[in-house]
Amino acid sequence: MGVYITTTIPYVNARPHLGFALELVQADVLARHLRRRGEVRFQAGTDDNSLKNVLAAEAAGIGVQEFVDALAEEFIGLVGPLSLSVDDAIRTSRDPRHRAGVERLWRACAASGDLYRRHYEGLYCVGCEQFYGEGELADGRCPEHGTVPEQVSEENWFFRLSRYTGRLHDLVSSGRLRIEPAERRNEVLSFIAGGLEDFSVSRSTERARGWGIPVPDDPSQVIYVWWDALGNYVTALDYGRDGAGYRRWWTGGGRRVHLVGKGVLRFHAVYWPAMLLSAGLPVPDEILVHGYLTAGGRKISKSGDVTVDPVGLVREFGVDAVRWWLLREVPRVGDADFTAERLIARADDELANGLGNLVHRVVSMVHRYRGGEVPAAEADELEAVCREAPGEIDAALDDADFRRATAAVWRIVDEANRHINRVRPWELAKAGDPRLGAVLAGLVSACRTVGDLLEPFLPDAAERVRRQCAGQRLPRPEPVFRRLGEPRPAREGVSSR
């Protein structure tokens, strides 16, 4: 039936940072892994219709469309440097599918009696694009951005979120809407239990500077950016015209999976399902939540004091090292602190010294002792660890536990290296021991297994491993990874300002 995997769509108010790259890489791993079982659609995009983008364009002194066009290209351009297998990317200000779909969703909720207009006053954080109550602030500041919200008073359209309190609680508590990890599911249930209030789903055209999608039949208002943005998960499937993609991936009976950061969980696990229920549409099946990346203990962000450029990191250290750090260092629950030194250490220890050394040793020994011909012998004791790994990876990725999934691959590498040191094939060769053929055959088989299992995580490296171990006669050994911990020019991609 297929699996539809989406990332959030980021505001394009500044250049992309490593935190968003984390989400893209995680989604790519799931997409590549699940394509081995069936059809997958991996969807990404950019959120162009935000007041944050308008303010950033004004600060830059250029037109909003020109501003968002340039930055959207950078976000969508991450596909190449990060070796992503994205199937489609939607831009909310440019893609004709989007406005048509947002308008259809709005009219469907209006037909359900869930949209009404009233005067509202509240504290608004432009960074979050959301209103906050006094009790939600930390010393009068936004808990996410640390800024003082502005007082806003205007008449807006509202959505009857309160009407869906019971149904949302049942969806989440029953697991029909699965939220992982459990800590985040409990957070959502606690939020629902605290009482859901109707929320504003439009902004005055004047305050929005005329940017955004007009409310159908009310040009004095534009649709709230979160309503607009959340709709992308169906508008990208051509929901506006009831397109084949919508029927295939949203209503066709497959899995609908959202990857999101913890800071936007409320929107995806409460507001979005309620909007879909109101419109009479299926809700997502799974919401997989990741934490933040920090640098020096401070959150990495596009427009804050600390930012890390993923393209700059790939340019200096290579895509394998960047993807590997994101998958091996970031915990399933909690945040991870990035430093280039940690990236280098992880890549050199596991990729260069671990896997790279293993493949080079094995291919070299096959050439030295068998003229490059892989022995036609039964595999030896490494077979068990190779046989267990696929099931362990399946279980880990089903829980969105990327650390545990990569650890299952790495057990093969570690065990193969220990096996070489324990069996000492060079001594078997010197003694003419007939066990040498089985040992070499087992090692080649283990390397081939790693090359296959590694593909969702490090597609580029996996291909190099497979090339080194392909065929009955192996090619001459070549380095699979370069060591990074050598004197290098000043690093790019990490800045504090």
Side-chain angles (χ1 to χ4, degrees):
M1 289 186 291
V3 183
Y4 178 42
I5 297 174
T6 71
T7 65
T8 55
I9 55 173
Y11 300 131
V12 288
N13 60 314
R15 300 181 66 196
H17 63 76
L18 190 62
F20 184 58
L22 167 67
E23 187 169 299
L24 287 169
V25 169
Q26 288 184 344
D28 184 62
V29 170
L30 291 179
R32 290 177 182 274
H33 175 71
L34 292 172
R35 283 192 188 105
R36 298 179 170 204
R37 303 176 181 176
E39 291 185 275
V40 171
R41 178 184 175 93
F42 174 13
Q43 179 75 44
T46 59
D47 182 357
D48 301 354
N49 297 330
S50 165
L51 180 57
K52 288 179 71 168
N53 300 341
V54 174
L55 298 177
E58 289 179 353
I62 61 176
V64 182
Q65 191 70 65
E66 179 186 357
F67 181 82
V68 299
D69 283 349
L71 285 169
E73 281 298 312
E74 292 201 38
F75 278 91
I76 294 172
L78 291 173
V79 169
L82 293 175
S83 293
L84 304 173
S85 60
V86 173
D87 293 302
D88 190 18
I90 188 167
R91 286 200 47 210
T92 60
S93 70
R94 286 287 192 187
D95 197 312
R97 295 173 297 179
H98 186 65
R99 178 166 177 170
V102 169
E103 289 175 342
R104 183 183 179 192
L105 184 63
W106 181 278
R107 294 185 189 280
C109 293
S112 295
D114 287 331
L115 297 177
Y116 63 96
R117 188 164 176 164
R118 73 174 172 88
H119 183 79
Y120 185 78
E121 293 186 12
L123 297 169
Y124 192 74
C125 172
V126 175
C128 294
E129 292 278 17
Q130 111 181 48
F131 283 101
Y132 280 100
E134 291 278 4
E136 296 178 292
L137 301 178
D139 296 324
R141 295 178 177 272
C142 167
E144 183 75 12
H145 294 92
T147 55
V148 177
E150 61 181 86
Q151 185 74 35
V152 172
S153 175
E154 63 184 23
E155 188 169 292
N156 299 140
W157 286 91
F158 274 71
F159 174 73
R160 297 186 195 277
L161 180 66
S162 56
R163 176 178 287 181
Y164 295 93
T165 301
R167 293 178 68 181
L168 289 170
H169 181 274
D170 291 345
L171 278 172
V172 177
S173 61
S174 68
R176 167 64 187 83
L177 173 51
R178 181 183 180 221
I179 301 173
E180 292 290 345
E183 290 83 351
R184 300 303 175 200
R185 179 174 67 252
N186 294 337
E187 179 184 321
V188 171
L189 288 171
S190 177
F191 180 71
I192 294 172
L196 299 181
E197 296 182 358
D198 298 353
F199 70 99
S200 169
V201 292
S202 72
R203 302 291 181 262
S204 69
T205 301
E206 180 182 6
R207 188 156 70 87
R209 315 292 208 273
W211 183 253
I213 297 175
V215 169
D217 306 315
D218 185 356
S220 71
Q221 299 273 303
V222 297
I223 294 175
Y224 173 42
V225 66
W226 269 106
W227 178 289
D228 174 328
L230 289 166
N232 96 92
Y233 302 125
V234 293
T235 67
L237 302 174
D238 207 12
Y239 161 71
R241 297 180 296 184
D242 196 31
Y246 171 70
R247 296 193 303 274
R248 169 73 178 86
W249 296 103
W250 199 263
T251 63
R255 289 168 60 196
R256 298 169 293 268
V257 182
H258 295 327
L259 274 79
V260 309
K262 65 179 183 179
V264 296
L265 177 57
R266 177 188 308 183
F267 298 97
H268 288 81
V270 179
Y271 295 2
W272 174 230
M275 292 160 57
L276 292 167
L277 290 171
S278 174
L281 308 183
V283 301
D285 295 288
E286 301 173 47
I287 299 176
L288 309 177
V289 190
H290 62 82
Y292 290 145
L293 296 186
T294 61
R298 299 159 66 193
K299 182 188 170 188
I300 294 172
S301 66
K302 294 191 299 293
S303 52
D305 292 335
V306 178
T307 186
V308 179
D309 172 19
V311 176
L313 289 180
V314 169
R315 189 181 303 120
E316 181 174 6
F317 300 118
V319 63
D320 298 316
V322 174
R323 285 179 65 117
W324 196 242
W325 187 88
L326 293 171
L327 296 169
R328 292 289 278 158
E329 294 275 351
V330 177
R332 184 165 179 257
V333 181
D335 303 336
D337 199 66
F338 172 82
T339 68
E341 289 71 24
R342 290 189 181 116
L343 182 149
I344 291 169
R346 176 68 72 172
D348 282 352
D349 179 49
E350 294 188 336
L351 298 183
N353 297 340
L355 176 57
N357 188 44
L358 170 66
V359 172
H360 196 273
R361 292 170 85 185
V362 170
V363 175
S364 295
M365 287 190 292
V366 171
H367 276 275
R368 185 177 305 120
Y369 305 132
R370 289 294 188 271
E373 295 286 334
V374 179
E378 292 292 328
D380 66 354
E381 61 192 75
L382 292 174
E383 187 176 5
V385 69
C386 292
R387 186 173 58 249
E388 294 165 359
E392 294 172 351
I393 293 169
D394 285 347
L397 291 183
D398 190 55
D399 287 340
D401 192 336
F402 298 91
R403 265 186 173 178
R404 182 155 57 97
T406 50
V409 180
W410 226 248
R411 272 192 289 278
I412 302 174
V413 176
D414 284 342
E415 184 54 37
N417 275 316
R418 284 194 294 268
H419 187 56
I420 291 173
N421 295 333
R422 184 169 59 246
V423 175
R424 304 173 74 83
W426 49 92
E427 292 186 357
L428 297 181
K430 185 176 181 180
D433 193 314
R435 292 178 296 166
L436 178 62
V439 169
L440 294 178
L443 288 168
V444 171
S445 179
C447 289
R448 287 171 174 169
T449 298
V450 170
D452 179 59
L453 297 179
L454 194 63
E455 193 276 336
F457 308 100
L458 301 181
D460 297 16
E463 177 58 27
R464 295 196 300 274
V465 171
R466 288 194 292 262
R467 283 202 305 266
Q468 281 282 275
C469 302
Q472 190 59 37
R473 183 177 181 83
L474 302 186
R476 299 297 305 180
E478 295 181 357
V480 177
F481 300 98
R482 65 179 175 89
R483 280 187 54 80
L484 303 178
E486 299 172 354
R488 303 180 58 77
R491 286 190 294 274
E492 299 178 359
V494 182
S495 67
S496 288
R497 63 177 188 272

